[in-house]
Amino acid sequence: ALPGATITLVGTVRGVQTNAKGHYILKGLKPGQYILQVSFVGYRPSKQEVSIKESEQRELNVTLNDGTELQGVSVTAQSGVKGNTFLPQVNEYTITAGKKNEVISLRASTADLSSNNNLQIFAKVPGLSIWENDGSGIQTSIATRGLSPNRSWEFNVRQNGADISSEVFGYPEAYFTPPTEALERIEVVRGAGALQYGPQFGGLLNYVSKKQLGNKPLSLESSQTIGSFGLFNSYNAIGGQLKKFKYYAYFHHRNADSWRENSRYKTQTVALNFTYEFNSKWQLNGEYTHMNYLSQQAGGLTDAQFASDPQQSLRARNWFSTPWNTAALSLQYKASEKTLFTLRTFGILAQ
């Protein structure tokens, strides 16, 4: 069984993901001829034709082959680094040819997702500089090409294709990082292809969140984690499918005392994502995310202070908080297999 495999009908906006048992259901199809495509990270995609009659139910089992094939001494296909893959050369509205990109699959990752451990999450992406000034996982601070990783301000940071950083141009500091337990994958686009997203030298960092939790009307997902220095992480989500309506919502809470004095933090995030398929051509998607955190920052030390006690802190009043609200609404029309139109509006209310 392959949980999380992507099932799509070629030339339409219809698509689902397999559940934990590898099962999938496509409902409400009109009679006709369809091409069913199945894809999964590390495997070769499969396409099969299927014909549906009026009021007919069909069962179609699909087997995927490994993404690497050897013919003699030549490699004809590759799946990339374990847990990572590449975007297609034409990705919806952008051209990403040249392989200057990485797709980090969180389902295949062995990283600690409960604490947003960036050193583990981005470890397999070559050329990235990763900076962690605390262990909270609140802020993702990465860079490429030798640029400054501070708050990822050299990247255009997005969530599901919508800007979530504090400024579109200039130095768009990323104060908001979604909990990685809520993500399907992370896309990193560098090089000339990144210019399609904006003028940032580092490129694009796009968080792609989960959109569905099984094919039943209601499914639950919950993860509770405790750790050293008072770490408590709680992730709880509901989701499902009601005919043409899909939804996914979650609540996330994490707090800890951290390793140094005066470095406590608490973060909470709630989000809702829904998709409504009017028919095989038209689809409406909406999402809303609210995040807020309170972080106590321990401040800097001189070399002498660090040598005597690296855990000490001389500042007890450094507090940082950023209430962050993001919302997006998009209407998609699939005119044909090669023609796709999307009208998207999104915004941020933050301080």
PDB file of all heavy atoms in Angstrom, residues 241-270:
ATOM      1  N   GLN A 241     -13.978  14.277   3.005  1.00  0.00           N
ATOM      2  CA  GLN A 241     -14.609  14.604   1.729  1.00  0.00           C
ATOM      3  C   GLN A 241     -16.102  14.333   1.822  1.00  0.00           C
ATOM      4  O   GLN A 241     -16.536  13.267   2.269  1.00  0.00           O
ATOM      5  CB  GLN A 241     -13.990  13.759   0.600  1.00  0.00           C
ATOM      6  CG  GLN A 241     -14.597  14.036  -0.768  1.00  0.00           C
ATOM      7  CD  GLN A 241     -13.899  13.267  -1.879  1.00  0.00           C
ATOM      8  OE1 GLN A 241     -12.972  12.494  -1.614  1.00  0.00           O
ATOM      9  NE2 GLN A 241     -14.317  13.459  -3.105  1.00  0.00           N
ATOM     10  N   LEU A 242     -16.876  15.327   1.411  1.00  0.00           N
ATOM     11  CA  LEU A 242     -18.330  15.218   1.337  1.00  0.00           C
ATOM     12  C   LEU A 242     -18.742  15.485  -0.106  1.00  0.00           C
ATOM     13  O   LEU A 242     -18.861  16.639  -0.518  1.00  0.00           O
ATOM     14  CB  LEU A 242     -19.002  16.217   2.291  1.00  0.00           C
ATOM     15  CG  LEU A 242     -18.719  16.040   3.781  1.00  0.00           C
ATOM     16  CD1 LEU A 242     -19.203  17.251   4.560  1.00  0.00           C
ATOM     17  CD2 LEU A 242     -19.395  14.775   4.300  1.00  0.00           C
ATOM     18  N   LYS A 243     -18.885  14.430  -0.873  1.00  0.00           N
ATOM     19  CA  LYS A 243     -19.191  14.523  -2.297  1.00  0.00           C
ATOM     20  C   LYS A 243     -18.142  15.383  -3.002  1.00  0.00           C
ATOM     21  O   LYS A 243     -16.990  15.003  -3.115  1.00  0.00           O
ATOM     22  CB  LYS A 243     -20.612  15.035  -2.516  1.00  0.00           C
ATOM     23  CG  LYS A 243     -21.683  14.088  -1.993  1.00  0.00           C
ATOM     24  CD  LYS A 243     -23.081  14.590  -2.284  1.00  0.00           C
ATOM     25  CE  LYS A 243     -24.134  13.607  -1.773  1.00  0.00           C
ATOM     26  NZ  LYS A 243     -25.513  14.062  -2.040  1.00  0.00           N
ATOM     27  N   LYS A 244     -18.491  16.592  -3.446  1.00  0.00           N
ATOM     28  CA  LYS A 244     -17.551  17.429  -4.185  1.00  0.00           C
ATOM     29  C   LYS A 244     -16.774  18.391  -3.288  1.00  0.00           C
ATOM     30  O   LYS A 244     -15.998  19.205  -3.780  1.00  0.00           O
ATOM     31  CB  LYS A 244     -18.297  18.238  -5.249  1.00  0.00           C
ATOM     32  CG  LYS A 244     -18.989  17.385  -6.314  1.00  0.00           C
ATOM     33  CD  LYS A 244     -19.679  18.263  -7.336  1.00  0.00           C
ATOM     34  CE  LYS A 244     -20.352  17.431  -8.413  1.00  0.00           C
ATOM     35  NZ  LYS A 244     -21.003  18.287  -9.444  1.00  0.00           N
ATOM     36  N   PHE A 245     -16.968  18.289  -1.983  1.00  0.00           N
ATOM     37  CA  PHE A 245     -16.363  19.211  -1.029  1.00  0.00           C
ATOM     38  C   PHE A 245     -15.281  18.491  -0.220  1.00  0.00           C
ATOM     39  O   PHE A 245     -15.530  17.444   0.372  1.00  0.00           O
ATOM     40  CB  PHE A 245     -17.427  19.784  -0.096  1.00  0.00           C
ATOM     41  CG  PHE A 245     -16.911  20.770   0.909  1.00  0.00           C
ATOM     42  CD1 PHE A 245     -16.656  22.082   0.540  1.00  0.00           C
ATOM     43  CD2 PHE A 245     -16.686  20.384   2.216  1.00  0.00           C
ATOM     44  CE1 PHE A 245     -16.178  22.996   1.466  1.00  0.00           C
ATOM     45  CE2 PHE A 245     -16.218  21.285   3.145  1.00  0.00           C
ATOM     46  CZ  PHE A 245     -15.962  22.598   2.766  1.00  0.00           C
ATOM     47  N   LYS A 246     -14.053  19.044  -0.219  1.00  0.00           N
ATOM     48  CA  LYS A 246     -12.955  18.521   0.576  1.00  0.00           C
ATOM     49  C   LYS A 246     -12.508  19.597   1.566  1.00  0.00           C
ATOM     50  O   LYS A 246     -12.550  20.785   1.256  1.00  0.00           O
ATOM     51  CB  LYS A 246     -11.761  18.141  -0.304  1.00  0.00           C
ATOM     52  CG  LYS A 246     -12.068  17.172  -1.430  1.00  0.00           C
ATOM     53  CD  LYS A 246     -10.848  16.997  -2.309  1.00  0.00           C
ATOM     54  CE  LYS A 246     -11.167  16.195  -3.552  1.00  0.00           C
ATOM     55  NZ  LYS A 246      -9.998  16.095  -4.476  1.00  0.00           N
ATOM     56  N   TYR A 247     -12.071  19.177   2.742  1.00  0.00           N
ATOM     57  CA  TYR A 247     -11.645  20.150   3.733  1.00  0.00           C
ATOM     58  C   TYR A 247     -10.542  19.574   4.610  1.00  0.00           C
ATOM     59  O   TYR A 247     -10.391  18.349   4.737  1.00  0.00           O
ATOM     60  CB  TYR A 247     -12.829  20.590   4.604  1.00  0.00           C
ATOM     61  CG  TYR A 247     -13.356  19.495   5.514  1.00  0.00           C
ATOM     62  CD1 TYR A 247     -12.958  19.418   6.848  1.00  0.00           C
ATOM     63  CD2 TYR A 247     -14.239  18.527   5.038  1.00  0.00           C
ATOM     64  CE1 TYR A 247     -13.434  18.416   7.677  1.00  0.00           C
ATOM     65  CE2 TYR A 247     -14.717  17.527   5.861  1.00  0.00           C
ATOM     66  CZ  TYR A 247     -14.318  17.474   7.188  1.00  0.00           C
ATOM     67  OH  TYR A 247     -14.767  16.474   8.009  1.00  0.00           O
ATOM     68  N   TYR A 248      -9.758  20.471   5.211  1.00  0.00           N
ATOM     69  CA  TYR A 248      -8.711  20.097   6.155  1.00  0.00           C
ATOM     70  C   TYR A 248      -8.515  21.269   7.108  1.00  0.00           C
ATOM     71  O   TYR A 248      -8.329  22.413   6.679  1.00  0.00           O
ATOM     72  CB  TYR A 248      -7.402  19.790   5.426  1.00  0.00           C
ATOM     73  CG  TYR A 248      -6.310  19.246   6.320  1.00  0.00           C
ATOM     74  CD1 TYR A 248      -6.226  17.886   6.596  1.00  0.00           C
ATOM     75  CD2 TYR A 248      -5.362  20.085   6.893  1.00  0.00           C
ATOM     76  CE1 TYR A 248      -5.226  17.381   7.410  1.00  0.00           C
ATOM     77  CE2 TYR A 248      -4.360  19.596   7.713  1.00  0.00           C
ATOM     78  CZ  TYR A 248      -4.295  18.235   7.965  1.00  0.00           C
ATOM     79  OH  TYR A 248      -3.303  17.728   8.792  1.00  0.00           O
ATOM     80  N   ALA A 249      -8.571  21.005   8.407  1.00  0.00           N
ATOM     81  CA  ALA A 249      -8.403  22.047   9.415  1.00  0.00           C
ATOM     82  C   ALA A 249      -7.540  21.505  10.546  1.00  0.00           C
ATOM     83  O   ALA A 249      -7.610  20.311  10.868  1.00  0.00           O
ATOM     84  CB  ALA A 249      -9.761  22.506   9.963  1.00  0.00           C
ATOM     85  N   TYR A 250      -6.734  22.383  11.139  1.00  0.00           N
ATOM     86  CA  TYR A 250      -5.870  21.909  12.221  1.00  0.00           C
ATOM     87  C   TYR A 250      -5.679  22.985  13.281  1.00  0.00           C
ATOM     88  O   TYR A 250      -5.857  24.184  13.033  1.00  0.00           O
ATOM     89  CB  TYR A 250      -4.514  21.452  11.688  1.00  0.00           C
ATOM     90  CG  TYR A 250      -3.611  22.553  11.176  1.00  0.00           C
ATOM     91  CD1 TYR A 250      -2.797  23.286  12.039  1.00  0.00           C
ATOM     92  CD2 TYR A 250      -3.528  22.850   9.815  1.00  0.00           C
ATOM     93  CE1 TYR A 250      -1.963  24.286  11.573  1.00  0.00           C
ATOM     94  CE2 TYR A 250      -2.694  23.847   9.347  1.00  0.00           C
ATOM     95  CZ  TYR A 250      -1.906  24.562  10.234  1.00  0.00           C
ATOM     96  OH  TYR A 250      -1.083  25.554   9.778  1.00  0.00           O
ATOM     97  N   PHE A 251      -5.302  22.527  14.475  1.00  0.00           N
ATOM     98  CA  PHE A 251      -4.878  23.392  15.576  1.00  0.00           C
ATOM     99  C   PHE A 251      -3.529  22.898  16.068  1.00  0.00           C
ATOM    100  O   PHE A 251      -3.353  21.702  16.313  1.00  0.00           O
ATOM    101  CB  PHE A 251      -5.890  23.379  16.727  1.00  0.00           C
ATOM    102  CG  PHE A 251      -5.374  24.052  17.976  1.00  0.00           C
ATOM    103  CD1 PHE A 251      -5.318  25.435  18.059  1.00  0.00           C
ATOM    104  CD2 PHE A 251      -4.919  23.293  19.049  1.00  0.00           C
ATOM    105  CE1 PHE A 251      -4.834  26.056  19.197  1.00  0.00           C
ATOM    106  CE2 PHE A 251      -4.427  23.911  20.192  1.00  0.00           C
ATOM    107  CZ  PHE A 251      -4.393  25.298  20.267  1.00  0.00           C
ATOM    108  N   HIS A 252      -2.596  23.819  16.195  1.00  0.00           N
ATOM    109  CA  HIS A 252      -1.243  23.446  16.603  1.00  0.00           C
ATOM    110  C   HIS A 252      -0.804  24.320  17.776  1.00  0.00           C
ATOM    111  O   HIS A 252      -1.013  25.536  17.790  1.00  0.00           O
ATOM    112  CB  HIS A 252      -0.268  23.620  15.437  1.00  0.00           C
ATOM    113  CG  HIS A 252       1.172  23.450  15.832  1.00  0.00           C
ATOM    114  ND1 HIS A 252       2.032  24.517  16.021  1.00  0.00           N
ATOM    115  CD2 HIS A 252       1.897  22.330  16.104  1.00  0.00           C
ATOM    116  CE1 HIS A 252       3.221  24.062  16.376  1.00  0.00           C
ATOM    117  NE2 HIS A 252       3.171  22.745  16.435  1.00  0.00           N
ATOM    118  N   HIS A 253      -0.178  23.676  18.762  1.00  0.00           N
ATOM    119  CA  HIS A 253       0.371  24.389  19.926  1.00  0.00           C
ATOM    120  C   HIS A 253       1.737  23.794  20.258  1.00  0.00           C
ATOM    121  O   HIS A 253       1.914  22.576  20.247  1.00  0.00           O
ATOM    122  CB  HIS A 253      -0.553  24.256  21.140  1.00  0.00           C
ATOM    123  CG  HIS A 253       0.079  24.751  22.420  1.00  0.00           C
ATOM    124  ND1 HIS A 253      -0.024  26.055  22.837  1.00  0.00           N
ATOM    125  CD2 HIS A 253       0.842  24.109  23.352  1.00  0.00           C
ATOM    126  CE1 HIS A 253       0.628  26.199  23.973  1.00  0.00           C
ATOM    127  NE2 HIS A 253       1.170  25.036  24.306  1.00  0.00           N
ATOM    128  N   ARG A 254       2.701  24.682  20.536  1.00  0.00           N
ATOM    129  CA  ARG A 254       4.019  24.210  20.985  1.00  0.00           C
ATOM    130  C   ARG A 254       4.601  25.209  21.968  1.00  0.00           C
ATOM    131  O   ARG A 254       4.518  26.429  21.751  1.00  0.00           O
ATOM    132  CB  ARG A 254       4.973  24.017  19.802  1.00  0.00           C
ATOM    133  CG  ARG A 254       6.338  23.446  20.219  1.00  0.00           C
ATOM    134  CD  ARG A 254       7.206  23.030  19.047  1.00  0.00           C
ATOM    135  NE  ARG A 254       7.662  24.157  18.257  1.00  0.00           N
ATOM    136  CZ  ARG A 254       7.272  24.397  17.011  1.00  0.00           C
ATOM    137  NH1 ARG A 254       6.405  23.576  16.432  1.00  0.00           N
ATOM    138  NH2 ARG A 254       7.721  25.439  16.355  1.00  0.00           N
ATOM    139  N   ASN A 255       5.199  24.711  23.056  1.00  0.00           N
ATOM    140  CA  ASN A 255       5.874  25.578  24.012  1.00  0.00           C
ATOM    141  C   ASN A 255       7.073  24.832  24.610  1.00  0.00           C
ATOM    142  O   ASN A 255       7.112  23.595  24.632  1.00  0.00           O
ATOM    143  CB  ASN A 255       4.921  26.035  25.128  1.00  0.00           C
ATOM    144  CG  ASN A 255       4.446  24.901  26.006  1.00  0.00           C
ATOM    145  OD1 ASN A 255       3.380  24.320  25.753  1.00  0.00           O
ATOM    146  ND2 ASN A 255       5.199  24.560  27.037  1.00  0.00           N
ATOM    147  N   ALA A 256       8.043  25.609  25.070  1.00  0.00           N
ATOM    148  CA  ALA A 256       9.231  25.042  25.709  1.00  0.00           C
ATOM    149  C   ALA A 256       9.968  26.157  26.440  1.00  0.00           C
ATOM    150  O   ALA A 256       9.710  27.343  26.225  1.00  0.00           O
ATOM    151  CB  ALA A 256      10.148  24.370  24.690  1.00  0.00           C
ATOM    152  N   ASP A 257      10.887  25.767  27.327  1.00  0.00           N
ATOM    153  CA  ASP A 257      11.711  26.717  28.066  1.00  0.00           C
ATOM    154  C   ASP A 257      13.040  26.973  27.383  1.00  0.00           C
ATOM    155  O   ASP A 257      13.745  27.913  27.737  1.00  0.00           O
ATOM    156  CB  ASP A 257      11.972  26.201  29.492  1.00  0.00           C
ATOM    157  CG  ASP A 257      10.690  26.115  30.296  1.00  0.00           C
ATOM    158  OD1 ASP A 257       9.776  26.922  30.052  1.00  0.00           O
ATOM    159  OD2 ASP A 257      10.592  25.217  31.158  1.00  0.00           O
ATOM    160  N   SER A 258      13.410  26.126  26.403  1.00  0.00           N
ATOM    161  CA  SER A 258      14.647  26.241  25.650  1.00  0.00           C
ATOM    162  C   SER A 258      15.862  25.989  26.551  1.00  0.00           C
ATOM    163  O   SER A 258      15.744  25.717  27.748  1.00  0.00           O
ATOM    164  CB  SER A 258      14.754  27.593  24.940  1.00  0.00           C
ATOM    165  OG  SER A 258      15.770  27.550  23.968  1.00  0.00           O
ATOM    166  N   TRP A 259      17.069  26.077  25.955  1.00  0.00           N
ATOM    167  CA  TRP A 259      18.304  25.670  26.616  1.00  0.00           C
ATOM    168  C   TRP A 259      18.903  26.775  27.465  1.00  0.00           C
ATOM    169  O   TRP A 259      19.471  26.535  28.528  1.00  0.00           O
ATOM    170  CB  TRP A 259      19.295  25.227  25.533  1.00  0.00           C
ATOM    171  CG  TRP A 259      20.617  24.765  26.041  1.00  0.00           C
ATOM    172  CD1 TRP A 259      20.885  23.610  26.718  1.00  0.00           C
ATOM    173  CD2 TRP A 259      21.867  25.450  25.909  1.00  0.00           C
ATOM    174  NE1 TRP A 259      22.224  23.526  27.002  1.00  0.00           N
ATOM    175  CE2 TRP A 259      22.856  24.649  26.523  1.00  0.00           C
ATOM    176  CE3 TRP A 259      22.252  26.648  25.322  1.00  0.00           C
ATOM    177  CZ2 TRP A 259      24.189  25.000  26.570  1.00  0.00           C
ATOM    178  CZ3 TRP A 259      23.589  27.017  25.368  1.00  0.00           C
ATOM    179  CH2 TRP A 259      24.536  26.189  25.984  1.00  0.00           C
ATOM    180  N   ARG A 260      18.753  28.038  27.018  1.00  0.00           N
ATOM    181  CA  ARG A 260      19.317  29.162  27.761  1.00  0.00           C
ATOM    182  C   ARG A 260      18.296  29.783  28.692  1.00  0.00           C
ATOM    183  O   ARG A 260      17.092  29.556  28.568  1.00  0.00           O
ATOM    184  CB  ARG A 260      19.812  30.234  26.786  1.00  0.00           C
ATOM    185  CG  ARG A 260      21.053  29.866  26.010  1.00  0.00           C
ATOM    186  CD  ARG A 260      21.486  31.042  25.174  1.00  0.00           C
ATOM    187  NE  ARG A 260      21.866  32.197  25.990  1.00  0.00           N
ATOM    188  CZ  ARG A 260      22.039  33.433  25.514  1.00  0.00           C
ATOM    189  NH1 ARG A 260      21.839  33.679  24.233  1.00  0.00           N
ATOM    190  NH2 ARG A 260      22.376  34.414  26.320  1.00  0.00           N
ATOM    191  N   GLU A 261      18.785  30.569  29.623  1.00  0.00           N
ATOM    192  CA  GLU A 261      17.902  31.336  30.482  1.00  0.00           C
ATOM    193  C   GLU A 261      17.158  32.385  29.641  1.00  0.00           C
ATOM    194  O   GLU A 261      17.650  32.849  28.623  1.00  0.00           O
ATOM    195  CB  GLU A 261      18.710  32.033  31.585  1.00  0.00           C
ATOM    196  CG  GLU A 261      19.428  31.086  32.533  1.00  0.00           C
ATOM    197  CD  GLU A 261      20.297  31.827  33.533  1.00  0.00           C
ATOM    198  OE1 GLU A 261      20.389  33.078  33.416  1.00  0.00           O
ATOM    199  OE2 GLU A 261      20.887  31.187  34.410  1.00  0.00           O
ATOM    200  N   ASN A 262      15.979  32.782  30.100  1.00  0.00           N
ATOM    201  CA  ASN A 262      15.172  33.824  29.439  1.00  0.00           C
ATOM    202  C   ASN A 262      14.935  33.523  27.960  1.00  0.00           C
ATOM    203  O   ASN A 262      15.077  34.396  27.095  1.00  0.00           O
ATOM    204  CB  ASN A 262      15.854  35.196  29.577  1.00  0.00           C
ATOM    205  CG  ASN A 262      16.033  35.614  31.022  1.00  0.00           C
ATOM    206  OD1 ASN A 262      15.172  35.346  31.863  1.00  0.00           O
ATOM    207  ND2 ASN A 262      17.150  36.258  31.320  1.00  0.00           N
ATOM    208  N   SER A 263      14.590  32.309  27.648  1.00  0.00           N
ATOM    209  CA  SER A 263      14.342  31.967  26.231  1.00  0.00           C
ATOM    210  C   SER A 263      13.151  31.024  26.104  1.00  0.00           C
ATOM    211  O   SER A 263      13.202  30.030  25.390  1.00  0.00           O
ATOM    212  CB  SER A 263      15.592  31.340  25.600  1.00  0.00           C
ATOM    213  OG  SER A 263      16.020  30.215  26.341  1.00  0.00           O
ATOM    214  N   ARG A 264      12.086  31.351  26.814  1.00  0.00           N
ATOM    215  CA  ARG A 264      10.849  30.578  26.688  1.00  0.00           C
ATOM    216  C   ARG A 264      10.085  31.004  25.436  1.00  0.00           C
ATOM    217  O   ARG A 264      10.297  32.086  24.900  1.00  0.00           O
ATOM    218  CB  ARG A 264       9.954  30.815  27.908  1.00  0.00           C
ATOM    219  CG  ARG A 264      10.517  30.290  29.220  1.00  0.00           C
ATOM    220  CD  ARG A 264       9.671  30.746  30.386  1.00  0.00           C
ATOM    221  NE  ARG A 264       9.805  32.199  30.589  1.00  0.00           N
ATOM    222  CZ  ARG A 264       9.010  32.914  31.376  1.00  0.00           C
ATOM    223  NH1 ARG A 264       7.992  32.327  31.987  1.00  0.00           N
ATOM    224  NH2 ARG A 264       9.216  34.201  31.529  1.00  0.00           N
ATOM    225  N   TYR A 265       9.211  30.137  24.983  1.00  0.00           N
ATOM    226  CA  TYR A 265       8.382  30.509  23.839  1.00  0.00           C
ATOM    227  C   TYR A 265       7.082  29.704  23.867  1.00  0.00           C
ATOM    228  O   TYR A 265       6.993  28.625  24.468  1.00  0.00           O
ATOM    229  CB  TYR A 265       9.115  30.266  22.509  1.00  0.00           C
ATOM    230  CG  TYR A 265       9.335  28.808  22.170  1.00  0.00           C
ATOM    231  CD1 TYR A 265       8.377  28.080  21.453  1.00  0.00           C
ATOM    232  CD2 TYR A 265      10.489  28.156  22.553  1.00  0.00           C
ATOM    233  CE1 TYR A 265       8.576  26.751  21.147  1.00  0.00           C
ATOM    234  CE2 TYR A 265      10.701  26.832  22.248  1.00  0.00           C
ATOM    235  CZ  TYR A 265       9.742  26.121  21.537  1.00  0.00           C
ATOM    236  OH  TYR A 265       9.952  24.805  21.243  1.00  0.00           O
ATOM    237  N   LYS A 266       6.075  30.254  23.176  1.00  0.00           N
ATOM    238  CA  LYS A 266       4.776  29.583  23.009  1.00  0.00           C
ATOM    239  C   LYS A 266       4.220  30.008  21.664  1.00  0.00           C
ATOM    240  O   LYS A 266       4.165  31.200  21.349  1.00  0.00           O
ATOM    241  CB  LYS A 266       3.807  29.974  24.123  1.00  0.00           C
ATOM    242  CG  LYS A 266       2.423  29.341  23.986  1.00  0.00           C
ATOM    243  CD  LYS A 266       1.510  29.716  25.143  1.00  0.00           C
ATOM    244  CE  LYS A 266       1.179  31.194  25.144  1.00  0.00           C
ATOM    245  NZ  LYS A 266       0.189  31.538  26.192  1.00  0.00           N
ATOM    246  N   THR A 267       3.811  29.051  20.857  1.00  0.00           N
ATOM    247  CA  THR A 267       3.259  29.357  19.546  1.00  0.00           C
ATOM    248  C   THR A 267       1.980  28.567  19.322  1.00  0.00           C
ATOM    249  O   THR A 267       1.874  27.400  19.747  1.00  0.00           O
ATOM    250  CB  THR A 267       4.268  29.048  18.423  1.00  0.00           C
ATOM    251  OG1 THR A 267       3.653  29.276  17.152  1.00  0.00           O
ATOM    252  CG2 THR A 267       4.753  27.609  18.498  1.00  0.00           C
ATOM    253  N   GLN A 268       0.992  29.204  18.676  1.00  0.00           N
ATOM    254  CA  GLN A 268      -0.288  28.565  18.365  1.00  0.00           C
ATOM    255  C   GLN A 268      -0.695  28.927  16.938  1.00  0.00           C
ATOM    256  O   GLN A 268      -0.549  30.088  16.523  1.00  0.00           O
ATOM    257  CB  GLN A 268      -1.379  28.997  19.351  1.00  0.00           C
ATOM    258  CG  GLN A 268      -1.175  28.477  20.766  1.00  0.00           C
ATOM    259  CD  GLN A 268      -2.304  28.855  21.697  1.00  0.00           C
ATOM    260  OE1 GLN A 268      -3.029  29.817  21.460  1.00  0.00           O
ATOM    261  NE2 GLN A 268      -2.484  28.096  22.765  1.00  0.00           N
ATOM    262  N   THR A 269      -1.200  27.939  16.223  1.00  0.00           N
ATOM    263  CA  THR A 269      -1.621  28.145  14.837  1.00  0.00           C
ATOM    264  C   THR A 269      -2.926  27.399  14.593  1.00  0.00           C
ATOM    265  O   THR A 269      -3.076  26.248  15.011  1.00  0.00           O
ATOM    266  CB  THR A 269      -0.557  27.622  13.842  1.00  0.00           C
ATOM    267  OG1 THR A 269       0.713  28.166  14.175  1.00  0.00           O
ATOM    268  CG2 THR A 269      -0.927  28.000  12.421  1.00  0.00           C
ATOM    269  N   VAL A 270      -3.872  28.059  13.917  1.00  0.00           N
ATOM    270  CA  VAL A 270      -5.097  27.414  13.458  1.00  0.00           C
ATOM    271  C   VAL A 270      -5.247  27.701  11.968  1.00  0.00           C
ATOM    272  O   VAL A 270      -4.867  28.773  11.488  1.00  0.00           O
ATOM    273  CB  VAL A 270      -6.348  27.909  14.232  1.00  0.00           C
ATOM    274  CG1 VAL A 270      -6.305  27.470  15.680  1.00  0.00           C
ATOM    275  CG2 VAL A 270      -6.481  29.419  14.128  1.00  0.00           C
TER     276      VAL A 270
END
